[in-house]
Amino acid sequence: MSADNVAVIKGLYDAFGVGDLSGVLGRMSPDIVWNEAENFPYSDHNPYHGPEAIAEGVFARCIGEWDGFAVAMEDLIDGGDRVVALGRYRGSAKTTGRSMNPQAVHVWTLQDGKVIAFQQYIDTFDVARATGKV
């Protein structure tokens, strides 16, 4: 089943990359619990419960606050019911015009082919610099 879990996460990133929000949210359990990294701008509503809360509290903000926002996860690590993704974020803050390129780690937990939990780890200092917070 773990190779199937990696395929689910790869499909999720592929959908995100082409702006297919329903393809992203459709891979999530209705009961998903989503946590942004501590000190990340969108951690203010942690934990997010359910795909709709994630779409509104995270994805809409990414689109609204960043030009060219992209998630480039280059390595997916098969951990059975967990998939770990390693990569970077890209984009320029609309408020400052400054770009970011922080390292990021995502830990996805899956059950029965659906994502039930997400935890983000990221270089929050790089993001804060881009947004003018430091």
Side-chain angles (χ1 to χ4, degrees), residues 29-76:
S29 164
D31 300 322
I32 185 173
V33 176
W34 180 286
N35 282 287
E36 294 286 296
E38 293 175 2
N39 300 309
F40 192 71
Y42 309 144
S43 67
D44 55 347
H45 298 296
N46 276 350
Y48 295 87
H49 294 276
E52 185 175 313
I54 297 161
E56 293 172 6
V58 179
F59 298 156
R61 292 164 77 182
C62 290
I63 293 165
E65 297 174 8
W66 297 91
D67 285 323
F69 182 82
V71 177
M73 303 315 269
E74 295 142 6
D75 194 12
L76 299 179

Side-chain angles (χ1 to χ4, degrees), residues 76-132:
L76 299 179
I77 301 167
D78 183 347
D81 65 346
R82 288 200 172 159
V83 176
V84 177
L86 309 173
R88 293 186 171 272
Y89 287 10
R90 293 188 178 84
S92 298
K94 289 182 179 180
T95 56
T96 66
R98 296 180 194 155
S99 63
M100 68 166 173
N101 186 28
Q103 291 178 314
V105 175
H106 295 164
V107 179
W108 302 91
T109 305
L110 295 95
Q111 183 177 41
D112 299 324
K114 294 284 188 178
V115 178
I116 61 169
F118 170 85
Q119 177 64 58
Q120 172 202 54
Y121 300 94
I122 190 164
D123 177 359
T124 56
F125 185 74
D126 187 65
V127 177
R129 203 173 17 213
T131 59

Side-chain angles (χ1 to χ4, degrees), residues 2-18 23-24 27 73-77 83-85 108 110 115:
S2 63
D4 293 338
N5 288 339
V6 171
V8 168
I9 299 306
K10 182 180 181 330
L12 186 147
Y13 285 123
D14 289 347
F16 189 84
V18 297
V24 173
R27 288 172 169 83
M73 303 315 269
E74 295 142 6
D75 194 12
L76 299 179
I77 301 167
V83 176
V84 177
W108 302 91
L110 295 95
V115 178

